């Protein structure tokens, strides 16, 4: 257990529905990252926050995806109008600020879009 | 451009054999960080090691050792006397300070250790 929690752990939804995932980082970590991992691949960066500010979004993150971290702690990732290609493991990670600090990953939320 | 290549898709060894997992990276930055993560069958991602670009010293931790060579842009990982519990997917990753420390992962190497 890294201290980063995510829920739900599994989500099955029908195409076109909206889904929201939650990430609870390690309390003293001011950076929070979202990644997406598909079978046979390493995680791909989606977005990251420093405190409550969203500082970068990947080109992978279409306009159907949005992420928030309003109080600089818990974060949510929402996918609107889900598509089958959104099926993946969504992982969040947290780290201390500063250069090159290791990121600690949560267990992930596995999304299946039918 | 940031890129990490793990050319070995899958490696199978017999217990107690030594095994080396290769990692080659590309970056234009002079300040960067390299990582290895382990993903056991249970699915979590476990941090193993971090090195910065200014420290080329090799590191040993128990049965694990890492060889960082800037001249060949490689950061290889060796497990000595492998055990069945080492069976996992191993990911090498790169981050650059100017990109907010986001991690760029390789595709991973599946290591199977047979008893």
């Amino acid at each position: 257990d890294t201290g980063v929690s995510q829920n739900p752990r599994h989500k099955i939804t029908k195409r076109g529905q909206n889904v929201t995932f939650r990430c609870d980082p390690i309390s003293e970590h001011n950076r929070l990252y979202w990644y997406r991992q598909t079978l046979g691949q390493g995680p791909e960066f989606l977005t990251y926050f420093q405190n409550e500010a969203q500082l970068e979004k990947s080109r992978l993150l279409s306009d159907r995806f949005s992420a928030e971290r309003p109080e600089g702690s818990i974060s949510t990732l929402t996918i609107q109008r889900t598509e089958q290609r959104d099926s993946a493991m969504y992982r969040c990670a947290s780290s201390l600020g500063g250069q090159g600090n290791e990121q600690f990953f949560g267990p992930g939320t596995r999304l299946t879009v039918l | 451009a940031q890129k990490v290549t793990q050319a070995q898709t899958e490696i199978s060894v017999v217990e107690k054999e030594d095994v080396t997992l290769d990692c080659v990276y590309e970056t234009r930055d002079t300040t960067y960080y390299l990582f290895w993560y382990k993903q056991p069958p249970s699915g979590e991602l476990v941090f193993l090691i971090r090195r910065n670009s200014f420290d080329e010293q090799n590191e040993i931790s128990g049965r694990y050792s890492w060889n960082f060579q800037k001249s060949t842009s490689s950061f290889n990982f060796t497990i000595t006397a492998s055990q069945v519990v080492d069976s996992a997917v191993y990911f090498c990753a790169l981050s650059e300070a100017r990109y907010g420390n986001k991690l760029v992962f390789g595709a991973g190497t599946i290591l199977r250790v047979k008893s």
Side-chain angles (χ1 to χ4, degrees), chain A residues 2 9 31 33 35 37 40-45 48 56 89 91 98-107, chain B residues 31 33 35 37 39 42-47 50 91 95 97-108:
Chain A
T2 62
R9 297 291 305 275
R31 285 190 179 169
Y33 302 79
Y35 292 85
Q37 185 176 14
Q41 298 296 320
E44 294 176 299
F45 169 78
Y48 96 97
E56 186 177 348
M89 176 74 84
R91 297 187 183 273
Q99 294 186 9
N101 285 314
E102 56 268 36
Q103 296 179 22
F104 295 92
F105 283 81
Chain B
T31 303
Y33 304 85
F35 303 79
Y37 283 82
Q39 187 171 23
S42 53
E44 71 267 32
L45 271 170
V46 179
F47 166 77
R50 174 195 65 179
F91 292 100
S95 76
R98 63 178 174 154
Y99 290 117
N101 294 320
K102 66 180 182 184
L103 292 171
V104 174
F105 284 84

Side-chain angles (χ1 to χ4, degrees), chain B:
Chain B
Q2 302 169 286
K3 186 177 179 182
V4 175
T5 301
Q6 294 180 255
Q8 304 151 308
T9 304
E10 186 170 336
I11 301 174
S12 289
V13 299
V14 176
E15 224 176 0
K16 298 184 183 176
E17 284 185 18
D18 299 348
V19 59
T20 295
L21 309 181
D22 298 333
C23 172
V24 174
Y25 62 91
E26 293 178 29
T27 177
R28 293 179 183 170
D29 230 350
T30 55
T31 303
Y32 56 90
Y33 304 85
L34 296 163
F35 303 79
W36 278 94
Y37 283 82
K38 174 182 180 180
Q39 187 171 23
S42 53
E44 71 267 32
L45 271 170
V46 179
F47 166 77
L48 295 177
I49 190 172
R50 174 195 65 179
R51 304 298 284 171
N52 73 57
S53 53
F54 300 108
D55 182 2
E56 284 191 76
Q57 279 193 344
N58 292 332
E59 183 156 339
I60 298 173
S61 176
R63 296 184 297 106
Y64 294 172
S65 63
W66 291 270
N67 180 262
F68 176 27
Q69 291 195 336
K70 289 176 75 170
S71 60
T72 55
S73 297
S74 65
F75 185 44
N76 297 336
F77 173 27
T78 296
I79 301 175
T80 303
S82 58
Q83 300 176 0
V84 173
V85 293
D86 296 326
S87 297
V89 184
Y90 290 87
F91 292 100
C92 180
L94 164 73
S95 76
E96 296 173 347
R98 63 178 174 154
Y99 290 117
N101 294 320
K102 66 180 182 184
L103 292 171
V104 174
F105 284 84
T109 297
I110 300 169
L111 175 63
R112 302 189 197 279
V113 182
K114 301 175 184 176
S115 57

Side-chain angles (χ1 to χ4, degrees), chain A residues 50-68:
Chain A
Q50 176 141 323
N51 299 312
E52 67 278 2
Q54 187 174 17
L55 296 186
E56 186 177 348
K57 293 193 289 187
S58 164
R59 285 170 293 175
L60 293 176
L61 211 65
S62 79
D63 56 6
R64 296 184 297 105
F65 287 69
S66 61
E68 294 183 336

Side-chain angles (χ1 to χ4, degrees), chain A residues 3-7 22-27 32 73-75 92 94:
Chain A
V4 179
S5 61
Q6 291 184 247
N7 63 75
R22 171 182 166 132
C23 173
D24 205 336
I26 294 171
S27 59
L32 186 146
S73 178
I74 293 167
S75 177
C92 82
S94 69

